[in-house]
Amino acid sequence: AATAPPGGRLAHPTDRSWLIRFGAGYVVVAGLALAALLLAPTPALVLALLLAAVHFGRGEVVTSAERAGQPPPSPSARWPETIAYGCVTVGLLLWAKPDLSDPYVRPLSPWIADGVRQTRGPALALLVVAVVVGLAALVRRRQILDAAELGLLAVMFAAAPPLAAFGLYFGCWHAVRHTGRLLDLARRHLARQQPAGNGRAAEAPSPVQWSAAAALLARASVRPTVVALLAVLLLWWGRGLAGLQAEVAVLLALTFPHAGVVWVLDRHQAVGVGAGRQNGRRDRR
């Protein structure tokens, strides 16, 4: 819904000039990533997969922290869980069923496709170790729900066809949680604009506040949603012309700007929570 400019204040999510600058930057980063994937597919694909693993892993760790009322942890914190989630969502996508994932990897990089087949046994063993270590870290902190979620994802990615598992995870899990974060960000943005002394409403939002936040998020997302739908239609129309390599490259390229936006959001929320706690201590004094 909004990100923090250098001054630390939120840009208004319906500010047209800000949206134009943000959209232009998003397209430029995605375009550079797409060019890299098409011109130097092997190193670019390795980087894209690593970035995706870190992004999905961090997303689950940050969601867990927010659910517990904590600020987003630093990148160096809770790395066993981050690695475990990344291994499940990206590692099992490649190594669980190479015969099914190969047709989508090979058009971009035959070298990586061959490497996945040749290293399947050792890679799966390392993935199992990573998941067990992540589960142990969650259980040790008594995060039983998070441990159950990690186990559920591991079973799904191991048992289901790779694309079906990823589509279900991305569309019904990752995207839903990210939308929830944006909705909460929009609510807090509206709460800051309310007169002072209305802090209780911000802590326990009413249905009216949530509906206003949903309306704000809808207004901010209508343009990029239309652009995304047009891009999907264009890809569908040009399936026979662009080829599978270009389609996969486009989807992977979008990971780069999206991961950057989420990283900025995490930093902004961590700084905001820290500042809020310091102000709370001063008020108590």
Side-chain angles (χ1 to χ4, degrees):
T3 57
R9 295 174 54 192
L10 284 172
H12 196 284
T14 55
D15 184 342
R16 179 173 296 181
S17 63
W18 179 84
L19 284 173
I20 291 174
R21 294 195 303 272
F22 174 80
Y26 203 97
V27 170
V28 168
V29 173
L32 292 174
L34 175 60
L37 284 161
L38 294 176
L39 297 176
T42 295
L45 181 57
V46 170
L47 180 60
L49 292 173
L50 288 174
L51 178 63
V54 173
H55 172 68
F56 292 139
R58 280 282 298 170
E60 298 301 326
V61 169
V62 170
T63 297
S64 172
E66 289 185 341
R67 188 161 54 192
Q70 303 169 353
S74 66
S76 61
R78 301 191 183 180
W79 57 266
E81 299 97 302
T82 300
I83 292 175
Y85 278 112
C87 286
V88 167
T89 54
V90 176
L92 288 179
L93 187 69
L94 292 173
W95 280 285
K97 295 181 174 63
D99 291 338
L100 297 179
S101 60
D102 187 272
Y104 301 95
V105 177
R106 190 167 296 279
L108 271 176
S109 175
W111 185 83
I112 293 179
D114 290 338
V116 167
R117 287 183 174 275
Q118 294 168 4
T119 61
R120 183 171 184 259
L124 285 178
L126 290 175
L127 291 177
V128 170
V129 171
V131 172
V132 170
V133 171
L135 286 171
L138 291 171
V139 172
R140 187 168 57 250
R141 282 199 300 271
R142 294 188 170 92
Q143 296 177 258
I144 305 304
L145 177 59
D146 297 289
E149 290 177 348
L150 175 57
L152 176 63
L153 285 178
V155 171
M156 182 182 72
F157 272 90
L163 288 188
F166 184 77
L168 188 62
Y169 166 74
F170 191 87
C172 299
W173 190 304
H174 180 74
V176 171
R177 287 185 162 181
H178 182 64
T179 303
R181 292 191 70 194
L182 294 180
L183 185 61
D184 187 58
L185 184 66
R187 180 193 64 80
R188 286 186 276 114
H189 179 74
L190 291 174
R192 291 190 189 95
Q193 296 178 334
Q194 293 179 349
N198 203 12
R200 173 184 282 178
E203 292 178 6
S206 67
V208 175
Q209 287 177 307
W210 283 118
S211 63
L216 178 63
L217 183 58
R219 290 196 302 272
S221 60
V222 62
R223 293 184 183 90
T225 300
V226 170
V227 172
L229 290 175
L230 290 176
V232 170
L233 290 175
L234 184 62
L235 282 174
W236 183 264
W237 176 77
R239 285 176 67 86
L241 301 175
L244 183 61
Q245 180 186 14
E247 293 178 20
V248 175
V250 167
L251 295 175
L252 287 173
L254 294 174
T255 301
F256 288 84
H258 171 65
V261 170
V262 173
W263 179 76
V264 171
L265 174 60
D266 290 346
R267 288 201 59 182
H268 171 74
Q269 289 189 268
V271 171
V273 172
R277 287 181 174 177
Q278 288 182 354
N279 292 335
R281 293 193 192 101
R282 291 175 188 151
D283 293 340
R284 287 193 295 271
R285 290 174 185 171

